[in-house]
Amino acid sequence: MKRECVVVRLKPTVLEAAQRLLAAREKTRAQLEQALLRRGYSPEAVLDAVTRLERLGVLSDRRAAALHARKGFEARQSTVAVTRKLVGLGLGEAEAGAAVAEARVEAGHDDEAAARALLARRRLEGVKAARFLASRGFDEVLIRRLLDLEDAP
């Protein structure tokens, strides 16, 4: 007689799932909540788990914001682009702005120097360079100054 082996996988608790997600990568509260809700956990259970992880210091919007801001500046993104990214991760404007200001000082970030470095690395000129820098969040005045563009449309 042949025996069958049945493996039953139990769904991890919401707290276990949250800890696994945070072990993989630092997340904001909003990111963690969304990830847990997508996995089918109830909103009440998610709220309880996230609140508990914040109280324990495992989850921190401030720490996540600082990490994402540093990474953005290391990638030579503009201040505007980094701020936009943090807001997109669920942080408020004020919180994102504070994290960006702090990371900018720590990294010694300067938008103009970052834009120059990107242009040198990519070897872009003219309209292509302007589009590229604009897509990275650099402002029009800086782009015009760096590329010495005329008032062409």
Side-chain angles (χ1 to χ4, degrees):
M1 175 183 219
K2 190 175 182 182
R3 290 187 175 183
E4 288 186 34
C5 182
V6 177
V7 177
V8 177
R9 290 190 181 178
L10 298 175
K11 185 175 180 179
T13 66
V14 66
L15 197 55
E16 291 169 341
Q19 289 172 326
R20 285 183 190 157
L21 288 165
L22 289 172
R25 186 170 53 96
E26 190 77 44
K27 293 179 178 10
T28 63
R29 179 184 178 103
Q31 284 179 299
L32 185 59
E33 287 174 349
Q34 290 169 0
L36 293 169
L37 290 170
R38 278 193 308 267
R39 284 171 171 73
Y41 294 102
S42 73
E44 298 81 20
V46 168
L47 180 61
D48 290 343
V50 169
T51 302
R52 182 168 181 203
L53 290 171
E54 279 181 326
R55 275 197 314 258
L56 294 171
V58 176
L59 176 64
S60 167
D61 275 356
R62 184 177 181 162
R63 193 172 52 235
L67 175 76
H68 287 290
R70 275 194 310 273
K71 283 184 177 182
F73 288 136
E74 287 169 7
R76 295 191 173 100
Q77 294 178 346
S78 71
T79 303
V80 170
V82 173
T83 304
R84 206 178 306 140
K85 166 86 173 175
L86 295 180
V87 170
L89 294 176
L91 298 170
E93 290 279 342
E95 195 173 13
V100 167
E102 189 175 316
R104 186 176 183 177
V105 170
E106 287 175 13
H109 176 81
D110 174 54
D111 273 358
E112 184 171 340
R116 286 183 189 280
L118 284 170
L119 289 176
R121 190 173 74 214
R122 296 277 183 136
R123 297 182 182 160
L124 294 172
E125 295 178 358
V127 176
K128 281 187 177 183
R131 285 188 194 133
F132 175 74
L133 292 176
S135 74
R136 296 292 172 104
F138 293 99
D139 79 4
E140 185 179 346
V141 173
L142 174 63
I143 294 169
R144 286 183 180 277
R145 187 172 66 243
L146 289 178
L147 299 176
D148 199 28
L149 295 175
E150 308 255 335
D151 285 328

